[in-house]
Amino acid sequence: MKAPAAGSPVAPGEIVSAFAIPGDCVSIVPFGKGHINDTYLSRWRGADGAGPAAGYLHQRINDKVFRRPDQVMENIARVTAHLAEALRREGLGDIGRRTLTVVPARSGENWHRDRAGGWWRTYRFIGGTRAEDRVESSAQTGLLGAAIGGFQRMLADLPPPPLHETIPSFHDMRYRYRQLDGALAADAAGRAAGVGAELAFFAANRERGSALMEGLENGALPARICHNDAKLNNILLDDATGEALCVVDLDTVMPGTALFDFGDLVRTVAATAAEDETDLARITFDAGQYRALLAGYLSEAAGFLVPAEAALLAEAGRNLAQIMGLRFLTDYLAGDVYYKTERPSHNLDRSRNQIALIRSMDAVWGEINRITMEELEKVGL
Ligand code: ADP
Ligand code: GN1
Ligand code: MG
């Protein structure tokens, strides 16, 4: 077989046999809407050809984003084993659908490198589920909060050593502002002239965005293992019940503040439109959803949150929306080098969307605080 040209990616069909999967591969198709990795679903039939074909999910890990994919996989192997053990202890059935299962490569590693140097991993595909960009019903919302609260709770006793920091300074607002400054100065895609209003918004809000990181740095907020990408479409919903079933996309599980995860949930679940909705009039903050989400989160997290964390719960959603808005704008200025995009304005649309959401939260800030106090009081915090 001819070696691929430098930089050209190896197709998934070529790597699936490197993983310890029984039977014959009958199909491979691109899958999902993640912004970072290349994801494929394969189907396999056993030797007798009987029964439904088993599914596996293969991902080419984005090694521009994750500089040490081996460390990412070391983290994920530890985290998934620990979660499976915790779920077993809690007597929950169907563990293989409630947490990811890594399928090792035949080499014994939990990753495989292709002949072009690409990094691959495989999970069991969790069938009968879907990932959504918008919450479907308020009945779902509390369970989404509980899924992330439970994820944090179950990982609180992960034994040492600490997890690798797979992306340094990931939610550090000041670092994200410096990246925006750099992208603006370079103006690599010649787009700076068109983003004056967005730059003005972020400049005006530069200071208030630092509360979470400052709390982590001065020790007021405890460092906990958290997901760090706890948005709605990283939680699989059960097709049969619509309930939150499994938290996926574990690449960024590492120490942070629990508020990063709650904030990511708030900006994606309590928003009335998807993250890339372009009709800004449709993007508002839904206070009822926020209350249900918070109540669900607290049903798991009230037992471990300290008062300093409780005091910043209301701030978390605004904060994470600000980080995302900044990062989308930075990538737009840089020429769409980080996130996957479907149109030239996609990152700008996403940034404007997050700004609209922050504005909508600001408009009901008093109500957000009141709801937060009421829900905290109910759980004695
Ligand atoms: P990215 O890092 O690019 O966002 P994800 O790990 O989030 O990639 O995977 C992309 C999508 O694939 C997820 O949003 C989810 O819809 C789906 N997915 C991920 N892992 C599984 C799995 N084991 N079973 C079923 N669906 C999955
Ligand atoms: C990326 O991989 P995905 O699509 O689940 C990003 C998150 C952003 C998110 C915005 C490693 O998440 O930080 O919040 O896009 N992940 C990484 O949708 O940068
Ligand atoms: Mg994802």
Side-chain angles (χ1 to χ4, degrees), residues 31-41 56-57 59-60 62 66 96 99-101 121-133 229 231-236 246-251 340:
F31 189 82
K33 291 187 282 187
H35 295 340
I36 302 295
N37 299 303
D38 297 333
T39 302
Y40 303 87
L41 164 62
Y56 291 86
L57 195 102
Q59 292 184 311
R60 187 190 292 109
N62 185 331
F66 299 102
T99 185
L100 287 174
T101 307
R121 64 165 163 239
T122 295
Y123 294 115
R124 282 204 204 137
F125 181 70
I126 304 175
T129 63
R130 60 183 184 275
E132 295 293 341
D133 293 328
D229 192 1
K231 61 174 177 171
L232 176 59
N233 73 15
N234 284 328
I235 303 177
L236 298 182
C246 181
V247 179
V248 300
D249 201 347
L250 305 179
D251 294 329
K340 290 181 196 263

Short mmCIF file of all heavy atoms in Angstrom, two decimals, residues 31-41 56-57 59-60 62 66 96 99-101 121-133 229 231-236 246-251 340, ligand 1:
data_model
loop_
_atom_site.label_atom_id
_atom_site.label_comp_id
_atom_site.label_asym_id
_atom_site.label_seq_id
_atom_site.Cartn_x
_atom_site.Cartn_y
_atom_site.Cartn_z
N PHE A 31 -19.22 10.12 12.34
CA PHE A 31 -20.27 10.16 13.36
C PHE A 31 -20.13 11.40 14.25
O PHE A 31 -19.04 11.82 14.59
CB PHE A 31 -20.19 8.90 14.23
CG PHE A 31 -21.36 8.75 15.16
CD1 PHE A 31 -22.56 8.22 14.71
CD2 PHE A 31 -21.28 9.19 16.48
CE1 PHE A 31 -23.65 8.11 15.55
CE2 PHE A 31 -22.37 9.08 17.33
CZ PHE A 31 -23.55 8.54 16.86
N GLY A 32 -21.29 11.95 14.65
CA GLY A 32 -21.32 12.98 15.69
C GLY A 32 -20.99 14.37 15.19
O GLY A 32 -20.68 14.57 14.01
N LYS A 33 -21.08 15.34 16.12
CA LYS A 33 -20.88 16.73 15.75
C LYS A 33 -19.83 17.42 16.61
O LYS A 33 -19.90 18.62 16.85
CB LYS A 33 -22.23 17.48 15.85
CG LYS A 33 -23.22 17.04 14.78
CD LYS A 33 -24.47 17.89 14.79
CE LYS A 33 -25.39 17.48 15.91
NZ LYS A 33 -26.69 18.15 15.90
N GLY A 34 -18.87 16.62 17.11
CA GLY A 34 -17.82 17.21 17.96
C GLY A 34 -17.00 18.23 17.19
O GLY A 34 -16.85 18.11 15.97
N HIS A 35 -16.45 19.21 17.89
CA HIS A 35 -15.68 20.27 17.24
C HIS A 35 -14.19 19.96 17.16
O HIS A 35 -13.43 20.73 16.60
CB HIS A 35 -15.80 21.57 18.04
CG HIS A 35 -17.18 22.15 18.08
ND1 HIS A 35 -18.14 21.83 17.17
CD2 HIS A 35 -17.74 23.05 18.92
CE1 HIS A 35 -19.25 22.51 17.46
NE2 HIS A 35 -19.03 23.24 18.53
N ILE A 36 -13.75 18.83 17.78
CA ILE A 36 -12.31 18.67 17.98
C ILE A 36 -11.73 17.43 17.30
O ILE A 36 -10.81 17.52 16.51
CB ILE A 36 -11.99 18.63 19.50
CG1 ILE A 36 -12.50 19.91 20.20
CG2 ILE A 36 -10.48 18.43 19.73
CD1 ILE A 36 -11.83 21.20 19.76
N ASN A 37 -12.25 16.26 17.64
CA ASN A 37 -11.67 15.02 17.11
C ASN A 37 -12.41 14.56 15.85
O ASN A 37 -13.51 15.05 15.57
CB ASN A 37 -11.75 13.93 18.19
CG ASN A 37 -10.96 14.31 19.43
OD1 ASN A 37 -9.77 14.58 19.35
ND2 ASN A 37 -11.63 14.36 20.57
N ASP A 38 -11.82 13.60 15.11
CA ASP A 38 -12.52 12.99 13.97
C ASP A 38 -13.12 11.69 14.47
O ASP A 38 -12.39 10.79 14.89
CB ASP A 38 -11.55 12.70 12.82
CG ASP A 38 -10.92 13.98 12.29
OD1 ASP A 38 -11.55 15.05 12.40
OD2 ASP A 38 -9.79 13.90 11.78
N THR A 39 -14.45 11.57 14.39
CA THR A 39 -15.15 10.45 15.02
C THR A 39 -15.83 9.58 13.96
O THR A 39 -16.45 10.11 13.03
CB THR A 39 -16.20 11.01 16.02
OG1 THR A 39 -15.53 11.82 16.99
CG2 THR A 39 -16.94 9.89 16.73
N TYR A 40 -15.72 8.25 14.12
CA TYR A 40 -16.35 7.29 13.20
C TYR A 40 -17.04 6.18 13.98
O TYR A 40 -16.56 5.78 15.05
CB TYR A 40 -15.29 6.66 12.29
CG TYR A 40 -14.50 7.66 11.49
CD1 TYR A 40 -13.35 8.24 12.02
CD2 TYR A 40 -14.91 8.04 10.22
CE1 TYR A 40 -12.62 9.18 11.29
CE2 TYR A 40 -14.19 8.98 9.48
CZ TYR A 40 -13.05 9.55 10.03
OH TYR A 40 -12.33 10.48 9.31
N LEU A 41 -18.12 5.69 13.41
CA LEU A 41 -18.83 4.54 13.98
C LEU A 41 -18.62 3.34 13.05
O LEU A 41 -18.86 3.44 11.84
CB LEU A 41 -20.32 4.87 14.09
CG LEU A 41 -21.28 3.70 14.31
CD1 LEU A 41 -21.00 2.98 15.62
CD2 LEU A 41 -22.74 4.20 14.28
N TYR A 56 -18.73 0.16 17.35
CA TYR A 56 -17.54 0.71 18.01
C TYR A 56 -17.33 2.13 17.51
O TYR A 56 -17.65 2.46 16.36
CB TYR A 56 -16.30 -0.14 17.70
CG TYR A 56 -16.38 -1.49 18.38
CD1 TYR A 56 -17.05 -2.55 17.76
CD2 TYR A 56 -15.85 -1.70 19.64
CE1 TYR A 56 -17.18 -3.78 18.38
CE2 TYR A 56 -15.97 -2.93 20.28
CZ TYR A 56 -16.63 -3.96 19.65
OH TYR A 56 -16.76 -5.16 20.28
N LEU A 57 -16.82 2.97 18.40
CA LEU A 57 -16.59 4.36 18.05
C LEU A 57 -15.08 4.59 17.98
O LEU A 57 -14.38 4.32 18.96
CB LEU A 57 -17.21 5.26 19.12
CG LEU A 57 -17.35 6.70 18.70
CD1 LEU A 57 -18.81 6.97 18.31
CD2 LEU A 57 -16.95 7.65 19.82
N GLN A 59 -11.89 7.26 17.21
CA GLN A 59 -11.58 8.69 17.11
C GLN A 59 -10.11 8.91 16.79
O GLN A 59 -9.23 8.34 17.45
CB GLN A 59 -11.94 9.39 18.42
CG GLN A 59 -13.45 9.42 18.65
CD GLN A 59 -13.84 10.20 19.88
OE1 GLN A 59 -13.26 9.99 20.95
NE2 GLN A 59 -14.81 11.09 19.75
N ARG A 60 -9.88 9.74 15.78
CA ARG A 60 -8.52 10.24 15.56
C ARG A 60 -8.40 11.44 16.49
O ARG A 60 -9.10 12.44 16.34
CB ARG A 60 -8.32 10.66 14.10
CG ARG A 60 -6.87 11.03 13.80
CD ARG A 60 -6.67 11.68 12.44
NE ARG A 60 -6.91 10.77 11.33
CZ ARG A 60 -7.98 10.85 10.52
NH1 ARG A 60 -8.89 11.77 10.70
NH2 ARG A 60 -8.14 10.00 9.53
N ASN A 62 -7.27 14.73 18.09
CA ASN A 62 -6.70 15.95 17.52
C ASN A 62 -5.40 16.28 18.27
O ASN A 62 -5.42 16.79 19.38
CB ASN A 62 -7.72 17.08 17.65
CG ASN A 62 -7.25 18.35 16.99
OD1 ASN A 62 -6.05 18.61 16.89
ND2 ASN A 62 -8.21 19.15 16.51
N PHE A 66 -4.46 18.36 21.60
CA PHE A 66 -3.93 17.54 22.71
C PHE A 66 -2.51 17.13 22.35
O PHE A 66 -2.32 16.24 21.52
CB PHE A 66 -4.82 16.33 22.96
CG PHE A 66 -6.22 16.71 23.34
CD1 PHE A 66 -7.26 16.64 22.42
CD2 PHE A 66 -6.51 17.19 24.62
CE1 PHE A 66 -8.55 17.02 22.76
CE2 PHE A 66 -7.80 17.57 24.97
CZ PHE A 66 -8.82 17.49 24.04
N GLY A 96 -22.05 -0.62 31.25
CA GLY A 96 -21.45 -0.38 29.94
C GLY A 96 -22.17 0.69 29.13
O GLY A 96 -21.67 1.14 28.09
N THR A 99 -21.07 4.51 31.37
CA THR A 99 -19.75 5.13 31.27
C THR A 99 -19.05 4.57 30.04
O THR A 99 -19.41 3.51 29.53
CB THR A 99 -18.90 4.90 32.54
OG1 THR A 99 -17.67 5.63 32.40
CG2 THR A 99 -18.60 3.43 32.79
N LEU A 100 -18.07 5.32 29.53
CA LEU A 100 -17.35 4.88 28.34
C LEU A 100 -16.50 3.66 28.67
O LEU A 100 -15.99 3.53 29.79
CB LEU A 100 -16.44 6.01 27.84
CG LEU A 100 -17.12 7.19 27.17
CD1 LEU A 100 -16.10 8.29 26.88
CD2 LEU A 100 -17.81 6.75 25.88
N THR A 101 -16.34 2.77 27.68
CA THR A 101 -15.45 1.62 27.83
C THR A 101 -14.39 1.69 26.74
O THR A 101 -14.71 1.69 25.54
CB THR A 101 -16.25 0.30 27.67
OG1 THR A 101 -17.35 0.33 28.58
CG2 THR A 101 -15.36 -0.90 27.97
N ARG A 121 -8.09 6.05 19.02
CA ARG A 121 -8.60 5.26 20.15
C ARG A 121 -9.96 4.70 19.75
O ARG A 121 -10.60 5.18 18.79
CB ARG A 121 -8.75 6.13 21.40
CG ARG A 121 -9.80 7.21 21.20
CD ARG A 121 -10.25 7.85 22.49
NE ARG A 121 -10.92 9.11 22.18
CZ ARG A 121 -10.54 10.29 22.64
NH1 ARG A 121 -9.53 10.41 23.46
NH2 ARG A 121 -11.21 11.37 22.28
N THR A 122 -10.40 3.71 20.51
CA THR A 122 -11.69 3.08 20.24
C THR A 122 -12.46 2.92 21.55
O THR A 122 -11.88 2.56 22.58
CB THR A 122 -11.47 1.71 19.57
OG1 THR A 122 -10.86 1.91 18.30
CG2 THR A 122 -12.78 0.95 19.39
N TYR A 123 -13.76 3.22 21.48
CA TYR A 123 -14.67 2.95 22.59
C TYR A 123 -15.75 2.00 22.12
O TYR A 123 -16.05 1.95 20.91
CB TYR A 123 -15.40 4.24 23.03
CG TYR A 123 -14.55 5.31 23.63
CD1 TYR A 123 -14.41 6.54 22.98
CD2 TYR A 123 -13.94 5.15 24.86
CE1 TYR A 123 -13.66 7.57 23.53
CE2 TYR A 123 -13.18 6.17 25.42
CZ TYR A 123 -13.04 7.37 24.75
OH TYR A 123 -12.31 8.39 25.29
N ARG A 124 -16.38 1.32 23.05
CA ARG A 124 -17.62 0.64 22.68
C ARG A 124 -18.65 1.71 22.36
O ARG A 124 -18.78 2.69 23.10
CB ARG A 124 -18.12 -0.21 23.84
CG ARG A 124 -17.36 -1.47 23.95
CD ARG A 124 -18.19 -2.53 24.67
NE ARG A 124 -17.27 -3.48 25.25
CZ ARG A 124 -17.36 -4.00 26.46
NH1 ARG A 124 -18.38 -3.69 27.23
NH2 ARG A 124 -16.47 -4.84 26.90
N PHE A 125 -19.38 1.51 21.28
CA PHE A 125 -20.43 2.45 20.91
C PHE A 125 -21.63 2.22 21.83
O PHE A 125 -22.07 1.08 22.02
CB PHE A 125 -20.84 2.23 19.45
CG PHE A 125 -21.91 3.17 18.99
CD1 PHE A 125 -21.64 4.52 18.80
CD2 PHE A 125 -23.20 2.70 18.74
CE1 PHE A 125 -22.63 5.40 18.38
CE2 PHE A 125 -24.20 3.59 18.32
CZ PHE A 125 -23.91 4.93 18.14
N ILE A 126 -22.14 3.29 22.40
CA ILE A 126 -23.29 3.17 23.29
C ILE A 126 -24.54 3.41 22.45
O ILE A 126 -24.88 4.56 22.13
CB ILE A 126 -23.18 4.14 24.47
CG1 ILE A 126 -21.85 3.88 25.22
CG2 ILE A 126 -24.38 3.98 25.42
CD1 ILE A 126 -21.56 4.84 26.34
N GLY A 127 -25.18 2.33 22.03
CA GLY A 127 -26.33 2.43 21.12
C GLY A 127 -27.59 2.86 21.86
O GLY A 127 -27.64 2.90 23.09
N GLY A 128 -28.60 3.20 21.07
CA GLY A 128 -29.87 3.60 21.68
C GLY A 128 -29.77 4.91 22.43
O GLY A 128 -30.49 5.16 23.40
N THR A 129 -28.84 5.77 21.97
CA THR A 129 -28.66 7.08 22.62
C THR A 129 -28.54 8.15 21.56
O THR A 129 -28.31 7.86 20.38
CB THR A 129 -27.37 7.11 23.47
OG1 THR A 129 -26.24 6.93 22.60
CG2 THR A 129 -27.37 6.07 24.56
N ARG A 130 -28.64 9.38 22.00
CA ARG A 130 -28.41 10.51 21.09
C ARG A 130 -27.79 11.66 21.89
O ARG A 130 -27.90 11.70 23.12
CB ARG A 130 -29.72 10.96 20.44
CG ARG A 130 -30.77 11.40 21.44
CD ARG A 130 -32.08 11.77 20.73
NE ARG A 130 -33.06 12.29 21.70
CZ ARG A 130 -33.86 11.54 22.43
NH1 ARG A 130 -33.83 10.23 22.32
NH2 ARG A 130 -34.72 12.09 23.29
N ALA A 131 -27.13 12.57 21.15
CA ALA A 131 -26.60 13.79 21.78
C ALA A 131 -27.30 14.96 21.10
O ALA A 131 -27.45 14.96 19.88
CB ALA A 131 -25.10 13.87 21.56
N GLU A 132 -27.76 15.93 21.87
CA GLU A 132 -28.54 17.04 21.33
C GLU A 132 -27.83 18.37 21.58
O GLU A 132 -27.07 18.51 22.53
CB GLU A 132 -29.92 17.08 22.00
CG GLU A 132 -30.79 15.87 21.69
CD GLU A 132 -31.23 15.79 20.23
OE1 GLU A 132 -31.18 16.81 19.53
OE2 GLU A 132 -31.60 14.69 19.79
N ASP A 133 -28.14 19.35 20.72
CA ASP A 133 -27.59 20.70 20.91
C ASP A 133 -28.54 21.59 21.69
O ASP A 133 -28.18 22.69 22.10
CB ASP A 133 -27.29 21.35 19.55
CG ASP A 133 -26.17 20.62 18.84
OD1 ASP A 133 -25.28 20.10 19.53
OD2 ASP A 133 -26.21 20.56 17.59
N ASP A 229 -15.62 20.09 29.98
CA ASP A 229 -16.28 20.31 28.67
C ASP A 229 -17.71 19.77 28.81
O ASP A 229 -18.22 19.04 27.96
CB ASP A 229 -15.52 19.56 27.58
CG ASP A 229 -15.95 19.94 26.16
OD1 ASP A 229 -16.84 20.81 26.02
OD2 ASP A 229 -15.40 19.36 25.21
N LYS A 231 -20.71 20.35 28.34
CA LYS A 231 -21.84 20.93 27.61
C LYS A 231 -22.85 19.83 27.28
O LYS A 231 -22.53 18.63 27.30
CB LYS A 231 -21.36 21.63 26.34
CG LYS A 231 -20.66 20.73 25.36
CD LYS A 231 -20.35 21.49 24.08
CE LYS A 231 -19.58 20.62 23.11
NZ LYS A 231 -19.42 21.19 21.79
N LEU A 232 -24.04 20.29 26.91
CA LEU A 232 -25.15 19.38 26.68
C LEU A 232 -24.81 18.23 25.73
O LEU A 232 -25.12 17.08 26.00
CB LEU A 232 -26.34 20.20 26.16
CG LEU A 232 -27.59 19.45 25.75
CD1 LEU A 232 -28.15 18.64 26.90
CD2 LEU A 232 -28.64 20.43 25.21
N ASN A 233 -24.18 18.52 24.59
CA ASN A 233 -24.00 17.42 23.63
C ASN A 233 -22.83 16.49 23.96
O ASN A 233 -22.50 15.60 23.17
CB ASN A 233 -24.00 17.90 22.18
CG ASN A 233 -22.74 18.64 21.78
OD1 ASN A 233 -21.72 18.60 22.47
ND2 ASN A 233 -22.81 19.34 20.66
N ASN A 234 -22.25 16.66 25.13
CA ASN A 234 -21.30 15.67 25.63
C ASN A 234 -21.95 14.76 26.67
O ASN A 234 -21.27 14.05 27.40
CB ASN A 234 -20.04 16.33 26.17
CG ASN A 234 -19.13 16.81 25.05
OD1 ASN A 234 -19.08 16.20 23.98
ND2 ASN A 234 -18.41 17.89 25.29
N ILE A 235 -23.27 14.78 26.75
CA ILE A 235 -24.00 13.86 27.63
C ILE A 235 -24.97 13.07 26.76
O ILE A 235 -25.85 13.65 26.10
CB ILE A 235 -24.79 14.64 28.72
CG1 ILE A 235 -23.83 15.54 29.53
CG2 ILE A 235 -25.52 13.65 29.64
CD1 ILE A 235 -24.52 16.40 30.57
N LEU A 236 -24.79 11.76 26.71
CA LEU A 236 -25.69 10.94 25.89
C LEU A 236 -27.04 10.80 26.58
O LEU A 236 -27.11 10.53 27.79
CB LEU A 236 -25.08 9.56 25.65
CG LEU A 236 -23.74 9.50 24.91
CD1 LEU A 236 -23.30 8.04 24.72
CD2 LEU A 236 -23.83 10.21 23.57
N CYS A 246 -25.08 8.96 29.96
CA CYS A 246 -23.62 8.78 30.02
C CYS A 246 -22.89 10.06 29.64
O CYS A 246 -23.18 10.67 28.61
CB CYS A 246 -23.23 7.65 29.05
SG CYS A 246 -21.48 7.30 29.04
N VAL A 247 -21.94 10.45 30.48
CA VAL A 247 -21.11 11.63 30.19
C VAL A 247 -19.94 11.15 29.32
O VAL A 247 -19.21 10.24 29.71
CB VAL A 247 -20.59 12.24 31.51
CG1 VAL A 247 -19.71 13.44 31.22
CG2 VAL A 247 -21.75 12.64 32.42
N VAL A 248 -19.81 11.74 28.13
CA VAL A 248 -18.74 11.32 27.21
C VAL A 248 -17.74 12.45 27.00
O VAL A 248 -17.79 13.47 27.69
CB VAL A 248 -19.33 10.83 25.85
CG1 VAL A 248 -20.26 9.66 26.06
CG2 VAL A 248 -20.02 11.96 25.09
N ASP A 249 -16.82 12.26 26.05
CA ASP A 249 -15.81 13.26 25.71
C ASP A 249 -14.93 13.60 26.92
O ASP A 249 -14.96 14.73 27.43
CB ASP A 249 -16.49 14.52 25.14
CG ASP A 249 -15.50 15.34 24.32
OD1 ASP A 249 -14.29 15.07 24.40
OD2 ASP A 249 -15.94 16.26 23.61
N LEU A 250 -14.14 12.62 27.34
CA LEU A 250 -13.40 12.74 28.59
C LEU A 250 -11.98 13.29 28.41
O LEU A 250 -11.17 13.22 29.33
CB LEU A 250 -13.36 11.37 29.28
CG LEU A 250 -14.75 10.72 29.50
CD1 LEU A 250 -14.59 9.35 30.17
CD2 LEU A 250 -15.64 11.62 30.34
N ASP A 251 -11.69 13.88 27.26
CA ASP A 251 -10.33 14.35 26.96
C ASP A 251 -9.83 15.39 27.95
O ASP A 251 -8.63 15.51 28.18
CB ASP A 251 -10.29 14.99 25.57
CG ASP A 251 -10.55 14.00 24.46
OD1 ASP A 251 -10.19 12.82 24.62
OD2 ASP A 251 -11.12 14.41 23.43
N LYS A 340 -13.79 22.87 14.42
CA LYS A 340 -14.36 22.52 13.12
C LYS A 340 -15.44 23.55 12.79
O LYS A 340 -16.22 23.92 13.68
CB LYS A 340 -14.98 21.13 13.16
CG LYS A 340 -13.95 20.00 13.26
CD LYS A 340 -14.65 18.65 13.27
CE LYS A 340 -13.72 17.57 13.76
NZ LYS A 340 -13.05 16.80 12.75
P1 ADP B 1 -15.23 15.75 20.20
O1 ADP B 1 -14.10 15.76 21.19
O2 ADP B 1 -14.81 16.01 18.82
O3 ADP B 1 -16.33 16.65 20.66
P2 ADP B 1 -16.74 13.52 21.30
O4 ADP B 1 -15.88 12.60 22.11
O5 ADP B 1 -17.58 14.47 22.01
O6 ADP B 1 -15.80 14.26 20.21
O7 ADP B 1 -17.62 12.61 20.34
C1 ADP B 1 -18.44 13.21 19.35
C2 ADP B 1 -19.87 12.77 19.55
O8 ADP B 1 -19.93 11.33 19.42
C3 ADP B 1 -20.46 13.06 20.92
O9 ADP B 1 -20.98 14.33 20.99
C4 ADP B 1 -21.52 11.99 21.01
O10 ADP B 1 -22.64 12.38 20.23
C5 ADP B 1 -20.90 10.82 20.30
N1 ADP B 1 -20.25 9.80 21.16
C6 ADP B 1 -19.04 9.90 21.75
N2 ADP B 1 -18.71 8.75 22.38
C7 ADP B 1 -19.73 7.88 22.16
C8 ADP B 1 -19.98 6.49 22.49
N3 ADP B 1 -19.09 5.76 23.17
N4 ADP B 1 -21.15 5.94 22.10
C9 ADP B 1 -22.06 6.65 21.39
N5 ADP B 1 -21.87 7.93 21.02
C10 ADP B 1 -20.72 8.55 21.38
#
